[in-house]
Amino acid sequence: MNTRPRHHDVLVIGGGQAGLAAGFYLRRHAIDFTILDAGHTPGGQWPHSWDSLRLFSPAQFSSLPGWPMPPVAGYPDAAHVVDYLTRYEHRYQLPIHRSTRVAAVRRDDDGFLVDTSSGPWTARIVVSATGTWWRPFLPALARGSAYAGAQLHTAEYRKPQDFTGQRVTVVGGGNSGAQIAADLTGHAAEVRWCTLRPPRFLPDDVDGRILFQLANRRYRALQAGQPTPAGIGELGDIVAVEAVRAARDGGHRTAWPMFTSLGTDGPRWADGSAWACDAVVWATGFRPALAHLAPLKLSREHGHPVTDGTRSVDEPRLHLLGYGDWTGPASATLIGVGPAARTMATQIAATLDQ
Ligand code: FAD
């Protein structure tokens, strides 16, 4: 393997939607950059999701900068997103090195030394856009249990046919939990959907685009030191996509309170009741996948590195993009990552000019 580092002014780590949005704006500024992506094929997390996943916004509200997502009836599925992202990177001829996993980002004289599975790279500026899919979160209940049945996280769930005739517990009151519980209905013998608090369903005519507007309004209020406005919902409230609606209309939408322990055969509740089941699906969310930044020893707040917008406060030549509201309002969504990427690219251009 050639061990002489390859150099670019900017290295973007991650070739999902956030990496592509970064590439779109870096190209506009005529910046020398390349994208390193661990994936073997385009699409970031989307090719790995369960088969029936539906976006929580229509196509026209799920677009990256420049080229809108082609319209489709109803809510797009994951295959539609993969196709869109594949065509997006070709359309803008974004330079992406696939099958290249970044193991570590270290400070170097003039920027960063980036260790990857395809050799070392150097850069003056690094953009981390690695998403969350590769760091599924499991609560302590799951980690410490002696449960003898199957346990899997959303990231491993693929299709309801894998659970035909089984009794399945689904944990998690967000969109993933609601969609997977609905998906299993009619295939599993019985589904118990358990949530920490009663699930919050949005009205049928409200979807992710409203939630996006609300996230922006809240962010602006926060920046201006004003109280955050109350709204109809929050990112994370459940959008009534078709399968969720069908489950609800069929009377299958009732959620159980969260159980307090997981015995060898299934959940046990505080009132002493228990349920024997074959599998538990944990739809309990994700955390930013940032292990490659460990050598930088960034200080943390609320469990993630401290940033001002996308820029790391400890290391101004490092940007973090697409992980959540802390890297820009709704920046962990298709429509929300563009504005954050645009501001970031302007800052990067200014830094490179210094
Ligand atoms: P990813 O898509 O995860 O891409 C990250 C890329 O980085 C991957 O290609 C990965 O291979 C690569 N990578 C990771 N680590 C490394 C490394 N060390 N070195 C090199 N490459 C690396 N958003 C919406 O707008 N609408 C929705 O309806 C919606 N539904 C969602 C449903 C689910 C179940 C989840 C989990 C999220 C959903 N989101 C939705 C949120 C968001 O749009 C997705 O999480 C999106 O995939 C985030 O894009 P990303 O580019 O930040 O990360």
Side-chain angles (χ1 to χ4, degrees), residues 14 16-18 37-39 44-45 55-56 100 102 130-131 134 176 332-334:
Q17 65 201 38
D37 187 33
Q45 74 163 57
L55 292 188
F56 49 66
T100 299
V102 172
T130 47
W134 285 268
S176 300
T333 64
L334 282 151

Side-chain angles (χ1 to χ4, degrees), residues 101-345:
R101 175 168 294 282
V102 172
V105 177
R106 305 173 201 285
R107 288 186 184 86
D108 196 28
D109 294 344
D110 196 25
F112 297 99
L113 177 62
V114 177
D115 296 332
T116 83
S117 55
S118 62
W121 300 69
T122 53
R124 292 172 63 192
I125 291 181
V126 162
V127 175
S128 185
T130 47
T132 58
W133 187 260
W134 285 268
R135 208 175 143 214
F137 172 75
L138 285 174
L141 257 186
R143 286 180 264 131
S145 91
Y147 179 58
Q151 289 194 73
L152 60 157
H153 186 272
T154 316
E156 298 156 305
Y157 175 81
R158 291 305 299 216
K159 56 184 189 312
Q161 290 79 1
D162 294 338
F163 300 88
T164 303
Q166 296 188 15
R167 286 148 64 98
V168 185
T169 303
V170 178
V171 182
N175 280 289
S176 300
Q179 285 196 25
I180 290 174
D183 199 36
L184 286 164
T185 303
H187 294 273
E190 194 179 341
V191 180
R192 284 199 185 179
W193 176 32
C194 300
T195 63
L196 269 179
R197 57 173 171 81
R200 293 208 306 232
F201 287 87
L202 291 165
D204 284 6
D205 58 343
V206 174
D207 59 38
R209 70 192 113 161
I210 304 274
L211 300 180
F212 173 70
Q213 287 160 7
L214 276 168
N216 269 302
R217 244 186 276 156
R218 285 204 184 93
Y219 184 81
R220 281 198 298 272
L222 207 68
Q223 299 287 82
Q226 293 162 354
T228 50
I232 194 158
E234 292 184 20
L235 269 179
D237 284 1
I238 298 164
V239 176
V241 300
E242 210 177 312
V244 169
R245 241 182 251 199
R248 177 199 62 194
D249 296 345
H252 302 291
R253 151 184 129 164
T254 326
W256 289 70
M258 188 56 199
F259 47 90
T260 48
S261 67
L262 190 58
T264 48
D265 59 352
R268 292 177 188 161
W269 282 266
D271 64 2
S273 59
W275 191 56
C277 67
D278 303 293
V280 180
V281 182
W282 297 94
T284 42
F286 297 83
R287 299 289 183 267
L290 298 175
H292 54 290
L293 301 181
L296 299 176
K297 297 191 180 356
L298 303 172
S299 49
R300 289 178 167 252
E301 215 173 64
H302 308 300
H304 50 70
V306 188
T307 52
D308 178 9
T310 60
R311 199 199 295 257
S312 159
V313 165
D314 293 334
E315 179 46 84
R317 295 167 302 168
L318 171 71
H319 289 259
L320 294 100
L321 179 67
Y323 294 103
D325 286 349
W326 58 281
T327 55
S331 63
T333 64
L334 282 151
I335 195 172
V337 73
R342 186 177 56 222
T343 307
M344 180 190 77

